[in-house]
Amino acid sequence: MNSDARDDGNEQSHLSLSGERFTAVYRLSGSASEAESRARAICLEQTVEFPDALIPSEAIRAQIVGEITAIAPCPIDDGNSGCEVGIRYPIETAGREFTQLLNVLFGNVALQPGIRLQRIELPPRLLQHYRGPRFGIAGLRQRLGVRHRPLLCTALKPMGLSPIELADLTYRLALGGIDLIKDDHGLSDQRFCPFDERVSRCAEAVARANQKTGRTSLYLPNVTAPADEIVPRAARARAQGAGGLLLCPGLTGLDSLRRLADDDQLALPLLSHPALLGGLSLGPNQGVAHGVLFGTLARLAGADATIFPSYGGRFAFSTTECREIATSARTPLKRLAPIWPVPAGGMRLEQVPELVRFYGHDSMLLIGGDLHVSPDLTARCRDFLTLVEQSAEQLSNH
Amino acid sequence: MNSDARDDGNEQSHLSLSGERFTAVYRLSGSASEAESRARAICLEQTVEFPDALIPSEAIRAQIVGEITAIAPCPIDDGNSGCEVGIRYPIETAGREFTQLLNVLFGNVALQPGIRLQRIELPPRLLQHYRGPRFGIAGLRQRLGVRHRPLLCTALKPMGLSPIELADLTYRLALGGIDLIKDDHGLSDQRFCPFDERVSRCAEAVARANQKTGRTSLYLPNVTAPADEIVPRAARARAQGAGGLLLCPGLTGLDSLRRLADDDQLALPLLSHPALLGGLSLGPNQGVAHGVLFGTLARLAGADATIFPSYGGRFAFSTTECREIATSARTPLKRLAPIWPVPAGGMRLEQVPELVRFYGHDSMLLIGGDLHVSPDLTARCRDFLTLVEQSAEQLSNH
C-alpha cells in the first residue's frame, strides 16, 4: 500500500459495516450549551479516539464514530441541572466481546468527571453474542422447588471460622430453611480456611440437612480467585456438590462472570457480589447508574442473582436506586432471563415485611449477622422463613 | 462438633495467625468525632463483616478483625475537612491472592460514600506473593537500548483502519523513532480489524522498520479480551513477534494483568491502560487515590508501564494527582521494580519540554492524535524524538 493512500479521504474503504447501532444514554453535568460539544467529544472518545479533523476517511467518520441521537435537559440528583445525551455506536465496534462492549460504553469517559452512564439499549444483533443468565428467576425457582415466595439467602461468616465450624453453620442454616447459603465474599483460599476443605465440608453439610428436611438448600462457595484459578475452583466446587457459585466481578472482571455462566460443563446458578464494582455507582454524576451496573450489566454477564446494598441497612443506597436495580434485573430484555435482585447489607428480620412489600415476590433477601442474634440459629432461620411466607401471602392478597 | 461450641468464647481456637499486618490508610469525610466509630465499622466490614457483639470467639476478634493504628484530621480536596484513618489487617486475611488483597483493602467500603483509599503499606511477608513487574524501568531501557531519555509511545488509530493500513502506520511510526507503538485500546478482535491479522502485519512492519533504522521499536498489541482469550491471544501475539502487550485491567480485572506478568513463557513488557478502572479514582473523597490505583496497584499487578491521563490534555487530572502517580510508580517498594509513568490523553508536541521537566527522564510520553497533524508522519515522529532528546539534555544540565 502506498504510504500516502490513507490521507486520501476518497479512497475506496474496506469498511462495510451493517449500520446497526447500540445506544448509550449519558447524563452530563453542566449547561445545555456545553452539552452538544461534549457529546460530540464523547462520540470520538469512545470510538476513534482521534481528532475529528484528522480522521483519514469519510467511511470511518460515517461508519465508526458515535452519533448523537438526542440531547435533553434533565435534573441531576445533586440538585444541579444537566443534560441527557443519547449516543449510538456501531454494533461492530463492540464486536462479540463483553470487555470491548464495556469499553465502548464507558471505557475512557470513566476517567472524565461529570458524566454518568445512565441507560443502555442493545439491539438483537448485538445481544445475540450474550447467552446471559442460565437460570434466572424461573430456573432457580425450579431448582429449589419454591414457587411463589421470595427466596432466603445468607452468608457463612465470620471469617476466622474453620471449615468444620462453617460446615456446622451450614447445616443449621439449611435445617432452618435458608434457600441459598453462600460463602462470605471474604472467604477465598486462606490457610485458616482452605477452599477445598471448606467446600467439601459445607456441601456435605447442606446435603445432610436436605436429606433430613426433604427440602432443597443450595451451598454457593466463593470462587473469586486469581484469574487462572477461577474456573478450576468452580469445577472442583461442582464436583464436590456445590449448588451454585458466588463471584465478585468487581475483583475478577465482569467477563469472568460471563465465562462461568457460559460454561456448559459447570451449569451452576451464579450469584454476583458487588465488592469494589459498586465504587463505580457512587456520586450523583459520575460512574455507572445503579440499574445498569447491578442490573443490566450483571445480567448480560450471566448472573442469576445480583447482590446490592439495600436501603435501610448499613450502606447508603436510596430507595430510588434500589428500585432501579430491581427493575433492571427483572424487566424483559429480549431473550435474557430476568434475574433475582438480592438486597443485602445489614438488614434485620424485623424489616422483612417491608422489604417483601418493596421488592416483591421475585426477590431474594440476604440477611447475615441478624440471624445470629439468637443462640438458636436454626429457630431464627425458621422465623425468617415464616416472616417471608407471611409477608408474601399478604402481598398476594393485596 | 457440638453445635453450641462456637458460642463459647473460651473455646480453644484453631486460629494461630502470624500477627503480621498490612496497613490501609483511608480518608474519611466528616467530623473527627464520627471518625472513630466509622473506623471501627471499617475494621469489621473489611474482615468479619459481622456485628462486633456477635463475633463467636476472642481469637477471631483479636486475630482477624482490623485494628485502628491512627486517626488524624486532614484537609480534603473539596475544601471540607476529614480524617485520615490507618487500619491494619492480618496478612493472612488477604492470603496469597491479589483479588482478595483488593477485597480486604477496598471491597465493601467501595460501596460507601465519603471514604477513599489513600495509601497502602505491605510488609515483605505479604509482598513475597507478588513478583511484580518483570521489566520495569531498567528492563525496558535495556530491551530498547535507550539509556537516558524519556521513552516515546504512541497508539495505532483510528479504529476503522484495516490491518494493512495499521501496519503501514506502524512502519512509519517506527521509522520516525517511536519506541513503543501500541494498539489503540479500542482495537480488540473486530471483524473489520481481526486480532491475528493485525498483530502479524504490525509485528512484521515494525521488524522491517527496525532493520532499516538499526533501532528497536516495539509493537504492543491490545490483548484486552474475554477472560478465556487473554492468555491465548498473548501467546499468539508473542509468537508473531509482538514486543510487548497492552491490557486494560479495568475491563479484564487487575489480576489478569498479574497473570500475564507472571507468565514465564510470555515474558513480555506490559503496558496498563486506565479504561474503566479510572472511574475509581474520581471524586475528592471516594474511590482509590490516584497514586494507589495507577501506581502501587498497577505495579503490584506487574505492569511495566502505567498509562494515565495527564494534566494539560483532554482529561481533568491535576498536576498533584499526576505527580502522585509518577511518584508511586517509581518510588522504592521492596523488591518490586519501579515502573514507567505514561502520561497520555490529548497531549501535543509543543508540551514536550514542559512534560519532560515535570515527569523527568524515567517517563514515557504517549502522544497519539497530535502526531497526525502533519502529512509526513515519520518526520513528525522525528520532531517528537528530537524534542524529547533536547528536553532531556536540558534537564540533565540543570
Side-chain angles (χ1 to χ4, degrees):
Chain A
M1 177 189 168
N2 180 305
S3 66
D4 288 321
R6 58 173 288 279
D7 298 315
D8 175 4
N10 296 318
E11 67 174 307
Q12 184 65 36
S13 169
H14 72 289
L15 274 181
S16 64
L17 306 191
S18 66
E20 257 195 89
R21 293 188 175 235
F22 64 99
T23 302
V25 177
Y26 302 100
R27 217 164 57 177
L28 307 182
S29 58
S31 71
S33 60
E34 299 166 337
E36 189 170 340
S37 66
R38 285 184 64 200
R40 273 209 216 97
I42 297 166
C43 291
L44 297 168
E45 186 71 52
Q46 297 302 95
T47 54
V48 291
E49 211 190 326
F50 211 63
D52 185 55
L54 300 179
I55 291 175
S57 83
E58 275 311 313
I60 291 177
R61 190 175 280 112
Q63 293 186 52
I64 299 279
V65 174
E67 284 174 4
I68 302 171
T69 61
I71 301 180
C74 75
I76 291 184
D77 303 346
D78 62 4
N80 294 313
S81 66
C83 282
E84 270 202 358
V85 169
I87 295 183
R88 297 170 72 233
Y89 301 108
I91 57 171
E92 288 86 353
T93 58
R96 57 180 177 80
E97 303 180 359
F98 194 39
T99 37
Q100 174 60 9
L101 175 61
L102 292 171
N103 187 34
V104 178
L105 287 170
F106 206 61
N108 265 13
V109 292
L111 291 144
Q112 294 175 342
I115 174 168
R116 186 168 174 89
L117 178 60
Q118 199 65 17
R119 287 192 304 283
I120 62 178
E121 292 157 24
L122 309 176
R125 273 197 47 191
L126 196 154
L127 277 174
Q128 73 180 352
H129 300 301
Y130 299 88
R131 288 170 59 170
R134 185 179 291 267
F135 296 89
I137 290 174
L140 198 50
R141 281 205 182 284
Q142 192 172 21
R143 183 153 285 210
L144 291 166
V146 175
R147 291 178 61 184
H148 296 302
R149 62 165 171 81
L151 299 183
L152 279 59
C153 183
T154 196
L156 295 174
K157 45 181 162 180
M159 185 195 283
L161 294 180
S162 68
I164 290 177
E165 290 167 312
L166 292 171
D168 172 66
L169 271 185
T170 307
Y171 181 75
R172 294 190 285 151
L173 292 162
L175 217 56
I178 305 294
D179 300 301
L180 288 92
I181 301 162
K182 72 169 188 69
D183 278 347
D184 196 20
H185 77 289
L187 300 174
S188 56
D189 187 32
Q190 292 100 337
R191 269 200 203 165
F192 55 79
C193 191
F195 179 82
D196 286 316
E197 187 192 342
R198 178 174 79 246
V199 174
S200 64
R201 287 191 188 275
C202 294
E204 184 277 329
V206 87
R208 191 156 36 87
N210 285 342
Q211 206 151 30
K212 188 157 176 183
T213 61
R215 304 165 44 94
T216 303
S217 291
L218 303 177
Y219 164 58
L220 295 88
N222 175 29
V223 295
T224 306
D228 39 354
E229 295 185 39
I230 298 172
V231 173
R233 278 191 207 173
R236 293 206 304 278
R238 189 189 199 288
Q240 286 163 349
L245 301 169
L246 177 79
L247 189 79
C248 304
L251 299 172
T252 62
L254 266 163
D255 196 71
S256 295
L257 191 53
R258 194 274 318 152
R259 167 69 185 81
L260 291 178
D262 284 357
D263 191 324
D264 291 328
Q265 258 71 54
L266 205 59
L268 286 176
L270 299 174
L271 189 48
S272 172
H273 187 285
L276 198 62
L277 188 67
L280 288 173
S281 71
L282 298 188
N285 208 31
Q286 62 186 56
V288 180
H290 294 75
V292 176
L293 189 63
F294 300 107
T296 318
L297 293 181
R299 199 166 158 190
L300 261 180
D304 297 293
T306 178
I307 302 173
F308 60 93
S310 183
Y311 76 95
R314 63 181 191 278
F315 292 84
F317 283 19
S318 69
T319 51
T320 307
E321 292 162 348
C322 292
R323 191 174 288 116
E324 188 184 311
I325 295 169
T327 302
S328 298
R330 296 182 301 210
T331 201
L333 180 60
K334 306 291 184 328
R335 62 179 190 135
L336 297 194
I339 65 171
W340 297 89
V342 189
M347 298 179 321
R348 296 179 310 284
L349 245 56
E350 68 209 54
Q351 295 171 285
V352 165
E354 144 74 13
L355 291 167
V356 171
R357 270 196 304 278
F358 186 85
Y359 290 109
H361 287 287
D362 288 338
S363 62
M364 189 189 296
L365 305 186
L366 168 45
I367 295 187
D370 199 50
L371 293 182
H372 298 261
V373 297
S374 143
D376 190 339
L377 179 63
T378 299
R380 184 124 177 114
C381 293
R382 289 195 182 117
D383 292 345
F384 182 15
L385 179 58
T386 304
L387 265 171
V388 166
E389 285 173 340
Q390 287 172 347
S391 308
E393 206 178 312
Q394 280 177 10
L395 198 66
S396 299
N397 295 339
H398 274 81
Chain B
M1 176 186 168
N2 181 307
S3 65
D4 288 322
R6 59 175 285 282
D7 298 316
D8 175 6
N10 297 320
E11 65 173 309
Q12 184 64 34
S13 170
H14 72 291
L15 274 180
S16 64
L17 306 191
S18 66
E20 259 197 88
R21 295 189 172 232
F22 63 100
T23 302
V25 177
Y26 303 98
R27 216 164 57 178
L28 307 182
S29 58
S31 70
S33 60
E34 297 166 338
E36 190 172 340
S37 65
R38 284 182 65 200
R40 273 207 216 100
I42 297 166
C43 290
L44 297 168
E45 186 71 52
Q46 296 303 96
T47 55
V48 291
E49 212 190 324
F50 210 64
D52 184 54
L54 301 179
I55 292 175
S57 83
E58 275 311 313
I60 290 178
R61 189 174 282 113
Q63 294 187 52
I64 298 280
V65 174
E67 284 175 2
I68 302 171
T69 60
I71 301 181
C74 73
I76 291 184
D77 303 347
D78 61 4
N80 294 313
S81 66
C83 284
E84 269 201 0
V85 170
I87 295 181
R88 297 169 73 232
Y89 301 109
I91 57 171
E92 288 87 351
T93 58
R96 54 177 181 82
E97 305 181 357
F98 193 40
T99 37
Q100 176 59 9
L101 175 62
L102 292 171
N103 188 35
V104 178
L105 288 170
F106 206 61
N108 265 13
V109 292
L111 291 145
Q112 294 176 342
I115 173 167
R116 184 166 173 90
L117 178 59
Q118 199 65 15
R119 287 192 304 283
I120 62 179
E121 291 156 26
L122 309 177
R125 274 197 48 192
L126 197 153
L127 278 174
Q128 73 180 353
H129 301 301
Y130 299 88
R131 288 171 57 172
R134 185 179 290 268
F135 297 88
I137 290 175
L140 198 52
R141 282 206 182 283
Q142 190 172 23
R143 184 153 283 210
L144 292 165
V146 175
R147 291 178 62 184
H148 295 303
R149 63 166 170 80
L151 299 183
L152 279 58
C153 182
T154 195
L156 295 174
K157 44 181 164 181
M159 185 194 283
L161 294 181
S162 68
I164 290 176
E165 291 166 312
L166 292 172
D168 173 66
L169 271 185
T170 306
Y171 182 74
R172 295 191 284 151
L173 292 161
L175 217 55
I178 305 293
D179 301 301
L180 288 93
I181 302 163
K182 72 168 189 72
D183 278 348
D184 196 20
H185 77 288
L187 300 174
S188 56
D189 187 32
Q190 292 99 338
R191 270 201 202 163
F192 55 80
C193 192
F195 178 82
D196 287 316
E197 187 191 345
R198 179 175 77 247
V199 173
S200 64
R201 287 190 189 276
C202 293
E204 183 277 327
V206 86
R208 191 156 35 87
N210 285 344
Q211 206 151 31
K212 190 158 176 183
T213 60
R215 304 164 43 94
T216 303
S217 291
L218 303 177
Y219 164 58
L220 294 89
N222 176 29
V223 294
T224 306
D228 39 354
E229 295 186 39
I230 297 171
V231 172
R233 278 192 207 171
R236 295 206 303 279
R238 188 188 200 287
Q240 286 164 349
L245 301 170
L246 177 80
L247 189 80
C248 304
L251 299 172
T252 63
L254 266 163
D255 196 70
S256 295
L257 191 53
R258 195 274 319 154
R259 166 71 186 78
L260 292 177
D262 284 355
D263 190 325
D264 292 327
Q265 259 72 55
L266 206 57
L268 286 175
L270 299 175
L271 189 48
S272 172
H273 187 285
L276 199 59
L277 188 67
L280 288 175
S281 71
L282 299 187
N285 208 30
Q286 62 187 58
V288 180
H290 294 76
V292 176
L293 189 63
F294 299 109
T296 317
L297 293 180
R299 198 166 158 192
L300 261 180
D304 296 292
T306 179
I307 302 173
F308 61 93
S310 183
Y311 77 94
R314 63 182 191 278
F315 292 84
F317 283 18
S318 69
T319 50
T320 306
E321 291 161 349
C322 292
R323 189 173 290 117
E324 187 184 312
I325 295 169
T327 301
S328 298
R330 297 182 301 209
T331 201
L333 181 60
K334 307 289 186 322
R335 61 179 194 136
L336 298 191
I339 65 171
W340 298 88
V342 189
M347 297 180 322
R348 298 179 310 283
L349 245 56
E350 69 209 55
Q351 297 171 283
V352 165
E354 143 74 12
L355 291 167
V356 171
R357 270 197 304 277
F358 186 85
Y359 290 108
H361 287 288
D362 288 338
S363 62
M364 189 189 296
L365 305 185
L366 167 46
I367 294 188
D370 198 50
L371 293 182
H372 298 262
V373 297
S374 143
D376 190 340
L377 179 64
T378 298
R380 186 130 177 108
C381 293
R382 290 194 181 117
D383 292 345
F384 182 16
L385 178 58
T386 304
L387 265 171
V388 166
E389 286 173 339
Q390 288 171 347
S391 308
E393 208 178 311
Q394 279 177 12
L395 199 64
S396 299
N397 295 339
H398 274 81

